[in-house]
Amino acid sequence: MFINADMPIKAARAELEAAYDLEPSAAAMKDTADIYERVRHIIPEPDWMLHAPYVRAINRLKKEKDAVILAHNYMTPEIFHGVADVSGDSLQLAIEATKVDQQTIVQCGVHFMAETSKILNPEKTVLIPDARAGCSLASSITAADVEALRRQHPGAKVVSYVNTTAEVKAASDICCTSANAVQVVDAQPGDTVIMTPDGYLAQNVARLSRKRVVWWDGACIVHERFTAEEIRAFREDNPGVAVIAHPECRPEVVAEADFTGSTSGMIAWVRRHKPAKVVMVTECSMSDNVAAELPEVEFVRPCNICPHMKRITLENILWSLHSGTEEVAVPEHLIEPARRAVERMIALTA
Ligand code: 13P
Ligand code: SF4
C-alpha cells in the first residue's frame, strides 16, 4: 500500500502525524465549523470529526506553500466543499488554471486534468495527490492511433476530448470538453470531423452537429454502465423525477434524459430548475456535492463510482502539499503543440 507512488503508507502517515495535529478534536471541529455548516446535511458529524483535522491542516498548509487546489466536480464532498479553492468541470478547471496566481497547483482530479494544468502553466509546479488516477478514455488511445485515423480520413480535422494524454492532445488539431463539443466540431472546416477518444460522446455530438463525425471507440467506465432500461426504471419508480445525463453516456441513455450537459452544466440545471426529485446520471459524488447545497431537492442516487477520481483523498492531498509530490511533468516537445490544441478550444469558447 502506498500513499502515492513514492511513499509507503505507514512511513508517510507517521511523518504527517508528527508534523500536524491529525487527532479528532473539539478544536479541529471548531476551526472547521463554517465549512461543516455547508456539508452537515450530507456528512454525519462522526465522519466530519475524522475529516476536520485534515481539512484544517490542508487549508493552513496551502497558504504557507502558496498553493491553490483545483477540484473536479467528482471529488468527494469533504474535498469539494472542504479544501477546494476552485471547483468545476474539465473546461472550467482548464480555464481557471490559466488565471491562478499561486506558484503551485494541486490538481484534485485525474492525471489528464493535471497534465492540462501543466501544459497551460509550464512554469508552475503542478502536483497530483496520486498519479495513478487515470481515465479509461485517456488510456484508450495513443498519438499513433490519431495518426492512423488521419490516414483513414485524409483532410479531416481531429477534435480530441480533454480526457486525453498530452501526446494525444499534441497530435490533435483542437480539444473539446463535454461543455463545448458541438460548438468545437461545428467550427471545424470540411465535411468530416474525427472525434477521439469517446465513441458515445462523438455519437451524441453527431446527432446535434452539422458535420459528419467519425470516432474512436473509447468509453468511460462509469458512464457506459448506465442503460436505457435503468433510466426507464427510475422514472417508473419515481414518477415525475427529472433525469439529467452526462454526454459520455450511451446515446440511448441520453435520449431518455430531460437534459444532457457537462458536469457543471448538470449542476447549473439542478440549481436553476430545483426539481422536487432528480437523478443525475453520472458519477456518485456529484449528487452528494449538489445535495449539500440544495437540501430541498431529493436525489435518486444510482452510484457508479470512478475508481480513478476516488484515488484522491484528504490524506494524500495533505501528503502532496507536505512533500511536494507527485509532480506532474510533460515532455518539453509536447507542451507547445498540446497547448495550442487546448488554447484553440478556450479561444473558441470565449
Ligand atoms: P466534465 O468535463 O463534464 O466535468 O467531464 C469530465 C469527466 O471526466 C466526466 O467523466
Ligand atoms: Fe475518465 Fe470516466 Fe473517470 Fe471521467 S468518470 S475520469 S471519463 S473514467
Side-chain angles (χ1 to χ4, degrees), residues 74 110 112 134-137 163 220-223 248 283 306 308-309:
Y74 291 164
V110 293
F112 76 80
C135 169
S136 63
L137 285 169
N163 296 38
C220 161
I221 50 169
V222 173
H223 293 96
E248 288 170 15
E283 211 268 351
C306 175
H308 304 293
M309 291 279 183

Side-chain angles (χ1 to χ4, degrees), residues 223-238:
H223 293 96
E224 72 173 349
R225 282 169 53 199
F226 293 108
T227 63
E229 296 75 58
E230 200 180 352
I231 307 304
R232 287 195 286 271
F234 289 137
R235 286 207 193 272
E236 248 178 68
D237 296 346
N238 304 276

Side-chain angles (χ1 to χ4, degrees), residues 156-199:
K157 295 287 182 193
V158 176
V159 175
S160 285
Y161 197 25
V162 281
N163 296 38
T164 42
T165 59
E167 71 150 31
V168 168
K169 286 184 176 76
S172 306
D173 295 295
I174 186 167
C175 286
C176 74
T177 71
S178 53
N180 59 24
V182 177
Q183 189 188 354
V184 171
V185 167
D186 276 347
Q188 300 313 301
D191 297 335
T192 301
V193 172
I194 301 167
M195 277 193 82
T196 84
D198 189 339

